[in-house]
Amino acid sequence: MNPMPMLTHPKTFDEVIARGFPHEHLHILNRASDPRRLAFQPPAAPRLAAPAGPAVQRKSADTGFGAGEQGAFRNAVTQLVEEGTYRELVGHHMDMNHNMHGSMGEVGLYRFLGWHRRYLVAFERELQRVDALLRPGAMEKLGVPYWTWQDPIPTWMEDFLPAPDPTTGAAPPVRKEAPPPEKANANDLDLIVNQFSLQDAQLSDRNDYTKFTCGLEGWGLRPDGSSLPGHNHGHAWIGGIMNNTSTSPSDPMFWLHHAEVDRLWEIWRQANPTPAPLLNGTDRIMDPWAESYDELLSTKSLGYVYDSLTS
């Protein structure tokens, strides 16, 4: 069988889930990463400035985010769309040269968590910049809320799709918000966070970080052999443009979804501080930003903490 089609990144998360992790094509995908490494130039982007003031608290979108914050979030995102900054942010995710998904192979699997953490910080700081203009008297900075996967989409986020499809300029497709696939339930989260050692990524030199990120991204299996829902499944469950592996940040639910990914990583990391991704050299730099994986481990130094660190 010709393995070359596997080098094309899947267009939807439905396809990602159907294909599964590309174990049998890793040697080809790893070779495909070599030209990227050889052509790599250190990003010209400035390094993150130290956050001013206390760390912002990222809160549950359903139970912790008050009506004032809900309106402020929507207004700030709308302003970012109108000024064009939102399209620039979406563009980072559309550039698959950043190699930030497990469907791209081992390097993408290992970069997934660090890259998306840095991406969330980029969005959060733009959100705060605009919010400070829109609400100059606000007592607290605005943080990105997180969406717990066991719950439906927060009612205040329903029908909030202010950004057009960046490839067509048209209104994005409506969300599906229904299975298949399933999204993770409480038992699934326990498997991902606390029983991660059950996940076998079938990779050489695999460690606990590999097993954990494998399950969290959506490549794991339940004990009965069925697919363990994770990040990938949340994208596909929401549907619409969130199901697009490239342009999914066009839906603001992207940020709430990835804040939950980041929160679950932080819960796991607090209990397992040592395991690290098997990244070497420039693969540790989360381009297009200048920071390396190692500089992204302390959320407080990045300017945020979570209101809850229980799954």
Side-chain angles (χ1 to χ4, degrees), residues 9-11 13 86-101 104 112 115-116 119-120 166 217 231 235 241-250 254-255 257-258 287-289:
H9 192 255
K11 292 183 179 180
F13 284 94
Y86 200 88
R87 174 61 181 82
E88 294 175 11
L89 288 165
V90 174
H92 293 318
H93 200 270
M94 294 172 68
D95 184 353
M96 293 296 152
N97 287 321
H98 297 314
N99 204 351
M100 66 291 202
H101 294 132
M104 299 169 174
F112 171 72
W115 192 93
H116 283 86
Y119 190 33
L120 271 169
E217 190 173 355
H231 154 270
H235 273 276
I241 205 162
M242 266 287 279
N243 194 28
N244 188 298
T245 56
S246 171
T247 59
S248 51
S250 301
F254 175 94
W255 311 107
H257 179 46
H258 272 275
D287 54 278
W289 305 286

Side-chain angles (χ1 to χ4, degrees), residues 108-124:
L109 180 75
Y110 300 143
R111 285 171 60 85
F112 171 72
L113 291 175
W115 192 93
H116 283 86
R117 172 168 285 186
R118 182 59 180 86
Y119 190 33
L120 271 169
V121 171
F123 168 71
E124 188 167 64

Side-chain angles (χ1 to χ4, degrees), residues 13-33:
F13 284 94
D14 285 327
E15 294 176 60
V16 168
I17 295 166
R19 288 186 184 186
F21 190 75
H23 298 292
E24 67 274 24
H25 300 286
L26 286 178
H27 63 293
I28 297 172
L29 290 166
N30 291 341
R31 284 206 307 271
S33 294

Side-chain angles (χ1 to χ4, degrees), residues 185-196 228 264 311:
N185 58 39
N187 290 333
D188 295 326
L189 292 183
D190 181 63
L191 283 169
I192 290 170
V193 176
N194 300 316
Q195 301 183 59
F196 58 90
L228 176 62
L264 293 172
S311 55

